Amino acid sequence: MISPDGATFFAGVPNTITITGGVRPYTLTSSEPSLMPVPQTLDSGSFQVVPANPGVIDAGLPPGSLPVRTVNISLRDARGQTAAASLKVGQNFLTGYGVSFRSNCPAASAAATAPSACAGGQTVVTLTSVTNGNLFGNRGVRFRVVRGPFTFVDPITGQSGDPVTVNTDHSGNATVILQVNANVPPQLAVLRVEDVATGVFVDEVFPISSSGPTATLTAIPNAFSFTGPLNTICGTGSADFMVFGGQPPYTSFTSDPSDLRVTPSSTSANPAVFTLTAFNPNVCLDNATIIIQDATGGRTTVTVTTKTGSASPPAPPPLAVAPASLALACGTSGSVSAVGGITSNYIVNSTHPRVTAIASGNTITISRLAADPVGSSFPTTAGISVSDGATVQTVTVTVPAFCP
């Protein structure tokens, strides 16, 4: 026995025919071998057939019925017993009309056609549903991912997923949006379009390009300027800016990381909010650039300028040293204080070979060394100079001529 008997198979859709009873091997024939080919010899209980699309249909079909062509399958077993089945092959109305693609992907040139799909891009996929020469509106059509890094979006509800089922419009068109994942390599992908009522489907192979669309990103505000308090200090400070458009995640970069910081380095918020900080008062930035890039490669820039102020720094107080004179005995030390000047790193010097001076902050320590060579005699007055690099103050030190 051959089963199913009297069933309708749709063109392009795999179906299984089962044989029960008899003695193997079986010999099979088809009345339409080009439409529904069958194996000439079979040593198993089933086989798969994929009918072709009939161009000629049975005569006398009622108006509005499914266009079919009848195929008779005959079988003879090893003992000469016979069986037969009558099957119908329905026209696959999805095959031949095909699926059209219209993407937002960049074309290779002005004269070239944009690719069907691309990394990070969106493609409008449209199928025209025609049965027996008629367009059918409000007919359920299911779109399914067979292979590839993409999902479908219902253009009416905005819901995404796999599969997605939509209804044809009054013109018989079924439309979905195909969304490709970002940053994927070039490849061939496969989608399936299936008629919900009959289960008829067709698979469409299409290429995915790695060159995705460049999104338009907008930073608000996109320029910042910080001014220092004095004409010797560059401006510093922090500020926030927002980025609109494109596809998250967004990544930030700065052209001057040693003087300009931006946080966070990456965010999936949309709109994205970033904080920039110019933190070096010793370096003035001239349109330093912050770049924000989205998942599709789209970019926008923010510029940062820091400059000195107009006010001059106050003049430093004059260098002063007190007391201006000291008297030291052998092997003793004394100190004086230095204040003012253009720097606190004072330079000290002694004119006496046995009198030393050491500066530590604002304190100058002066010492009369002992253990002079026997029989030697040195001046009884030493001059200690204290300088800030611009002016010099002198401390007069009275010391013994000889220190045993």
Side-chain angles (χ1 to χ4, degrees):
M1 182 177 68
I2 302 175
S3 64
D5 187 9
T8 298
F9 293 166
F10 284 94
V13 178
N15 293 273
T16 300
I17 295 177
T18 302
I19 301 172
T20 56
V23 178
R24 302 175 187 174
Y26 306 112
T27 301
L28 296 149
T29 58
S30 169
S31 63
E32 297 281 355
S34 61
L35 180 62
M36 186 184 291
V38 297
Q40 183 176 0
T41 303
L42 182 69
D43 196 16
S44 65
S46 65
F47 63 95
Q48 190 177 74
V49 294
V50 181
N53 216 17
V56 178
I57 61 175
D58 292 345
L61 294 174
S65 62
L66 178 69
V68 297
R69 183 166 180 82
T70 301
V71 178
N72 296 314
I73 304 297
S74 300
L75 175 146
R76 180 183 296 273
D77 74 352
R79 294 180 178 177
Q81 301 178 90
T82 61
S86 179
L87 301 171
K88 299 181 185 300
V89 178
Q91 283 186 341
N92 187 335
F93 48 88
L94 301 181
T95 304
Y97 295 99
V99 174
S100 64
F101 297 85
R102 188 173 72 255
S103 73
N104 64 348
C105 304
S109 65
T113 302
S116 299
C118 60
Q122 292 185 327
T123 299
V124 176
V125 182
T126 303
L127 171 86
T128 301
S129 179
V130 179
T131 303
N132 205 13
N134 298 316
L135 294 168
F136 280 84
N138 199 33
R139 188 180 186 97
V141 178
R142 182 178 295 115
F143 291 81
R144 187 186 304 275
V145 176
V146 177
R147 178 185 184 275
F150 65 94
T151 56
F152 295 105
V153 180
D154 188 322
I156 304 300
T157 66
Q159 297 297 313
S160 62
D162 172 41
V164 167
T165 301
V166 298
N167 290 334
T168 58
D169 60 17
H170 67 284
S171 299
N173 294 325
T175 301
V176 294
I177 297 172
L178 185 151
Q179 175 69 60
V180 181
N181 298 349
N183 303 317
V184 298
Q187 59 192 280
L188 291 177
V190 183
L191 65 84
R192 176 168 295 175
V193 185
E194 180 180 335
D195 181 66
V196 174
T198 63
V200 175
F201 67 85
V202 64
D203 291 340
E204 290 285 337
V205 180
F206 62 96
I208 293 178
S209 167
S210 61
S211 178
T214 300
T216 300
L217 276 66
T218 303
I220 300 177
N222 61 2
F224 295 86
S225 180
F226 298 97
T227 302
L230 302 171
N231 59 14
T232 56
I233 301 175
C234 299
T236 58
S238 296
D240 293 341
F241 63 93
M242 303 180 71
V243 176
F244 298 87
Q247 296 183 28
Y250 303 91
T251 306
S252 63
F253 308 90
T254 172
S255 62
D256 294 86
S258 59
D259 307 308
L260 179 64
R261 180 171 56 247
V262 58
T263 56
S265 59
S266 179
T267 178
S268 294
N270 192 359
V273 179
F274 293 91
T275 300
L276 64 87
T277 302
F279 56 86
N280 192 343
N282 300 314
V283 175
C284 289
L285 304 174
D286 183 14
N287 286 327
T289 302
I290 293 172
I291 299 174
I292 306 298
Q293 179 173 301
D294 79 339
T296 68
R299 294 184 177 186
T300 187
T301 59
V302 174
T303 59
V304 180
T305 297
T306 62
K307 53 188 177 182
T308 59
S310 57
S312 299
L319 173 64
V321 179
S325 61
L326 287 176
L328 298 176
C330 291
T332 63
S333 298
S335 63
V336 298
S337 297
V339 295
I342 61 175
T343 179
S344 59
N345 295 321
Y346 300 112
I347 304 169
V348 296
N349 186 53
S350 173
T351 61
H352 196 291
R354 302 297 293 168
V355 176
T356 61
I358 300 174
S360 177
N362 294 93
T363 301
I364 312 298
T365 301
I366 304 171
S367 303
R368 172 58 171 97
L369 302 178
D372 293 342
V374 176
S376 61
S377 179
F378 296 95
T380 57
T381 302
I384 306 299
S385 63
V386 180
S387 175
D388 63 353
T391 58
V392 177
Q393 297 291 335
T394 301
V395 177
T396 301
V397 183
T398 302
V399 294
F402 175 77
C403 290

